Amino acid sequence: MSICLGALALLGAAPAARATELRILTEENPPISFSEQGKAAGLGVDLVDDIQRRLKSHQAVQVLPWARAYAMLQQEPNIALFATMRTAEREAQFKWVGPIATVKTSFYARRGDGVHLANLAEAKAAGVILVPREYYSHQVLNHLGFVNLQAVSRPDIMVRMLMAGRRGLMVGDNLTIAALLQNVGAKAGDAEPVYTFMESQYYIAFSRQSADALVQQWQASLDEMKRDGRFAAIYAKWLPGETPPGLRPNAPAEPGAAGK
């Protein structure tokens, strides 16, 4: 009862917390977010739209290249960016609303190439690894001392390079790999995970200058979505067969945990 009353109190404070307009950003990362006929679509977009509906807000979601959107999140006030992986390296940089999806991050190779990795040490010695620039995976692997990374501007470029045989490994995740492959003309199973090094969760990240009341309102609305079944319905629409994350946020992801 006290939780519901607290959520209602936060919702009632919405107009004051929206005194400064929020700018909501995302990237091309299907099925979480993507452009469709000039508008943003995807799982994350549906979630954000429903949160705004509950808060009586109507800010449009902008689709930008990830590196640009991430720089804006770090440097400008009143920015919300999704889907942003919550990692230990990023924990203190932003304010967090979520979780909105659970993700397994792996090194991927072309199916049939015979690539096998047993641990991170083998990955460090495996040749050049493709990774999207300024993604959580890029940051985490840099932090772990990887010097064999080739950062590219977009995930689709990375996938094209892997499938063309220009590199033997790339970094991807279980939620977006099928759509990425299909978008470059490959089949969903043409790339396979050869070592999973991280299990973590996507969040909506807010710039540090964002008002605490606004972030709390968004979290309260997301929690209500999870209680009333709307969150599960959106998740099933975009990620059928996957289990949606619950109410309790997990701790920031620790790299290598999934590979132990």
Side-chain angles (χ1 to χ4, degrees), residues 65-145:
W66 175 261
R68 177 183 169 192
Y70 189 72
M72 293 170 65
L73 178 68
Q74 293 175 299
Q75 299 165 11
E76 299 180 19
N78 303 306
I79 299 290
L81 174 62
F82 68 93
T84 307
M85 199 68 74
R86 187 174 184 176
T87 65
E89 292 81 8
R90 292 174 170 175
E91 179 66 18
Q93 297 182 50
F94 312 119
K95 299 178 181 180
W96 302 94
V97 169
I100 62 172
T102 300
V103 184
K104 292 181 180 179
T105 306
S106 307
F107 300 107
Y108 282 80
R110 290 192 305 180
R111 186 173 298 278
D113 279 0
V115 178
H116 302 284
L117 297 176
N119 50 49
L120 289 172
E122 290 188 4
K124 288 181 178 180
V128 177
I129 300 172
L130 297 163
V131 62
R133 181 175 290 111
E134 289 304 322
Y135 266 40
Y136 68 95
S137 47
H138 187 199
Q139 295 172 352
V140 165
L141 293 175
N142 272 330
H143 181 75
L144 290 172

Side-chain angles (χ1 to χ4, degrees), residues 1-14 217 220 224:
M1 183 68 173
S2 60
I3 294 176
C4 292
L5 289 174
L8 289 173
L10 288 169
L11 296 176
Q217 290 162 23
E224 287 299 316

Side-chain angles (χ1 to χ4, degrees), residues 227-257:
R227 293 189 186 98
D228 65 26
R230 178 61 179 156
F231 181 87
I234 293 173
Y235 211 84
K237 170 187 173 183
W238 292 103
L239 295 171
E242 297 286 345
T243 302
L247 281 167
R248 186 174 182 177
N250 287 354
E254 292 294 337

Side-chain angles (χ1 to χ4, degrees), residues 185-217:
K187 296 178 182 178
D190 283 351
E192 61 181 353
V194 295
Y195 182 71
T196 298
F197 65 91
M198 193 173 179
E199 185 166 333
S200 45
Q201 292 184 313
Y202 276 143
Y203 278 70
I204 305 165
F206 286 73
S207 52
R208 287 297 302 174
Q209 304 95 322
S210 301
D212 288 340
L214 176 63
V215 177
Q216 292 165 9
Q217 290 162 23

Side-chain angles (χ1 to χ4, degrees), residues 151-178:
V152 297
S153 59
R154 302 195 312 268
D156 63 305
I157 294 174
M158 172 183 72
V159 176
R160 290 182 191 278
M161 291 176 69
L162 180 81
M163 298 314 298
R166 293 175 60 188
R167 294 289 184 260
L169 286 167
M170 70 176 187
V171 178
D173 69 74
N174 62 309
L175 300 188
T176 63
I177 185 65

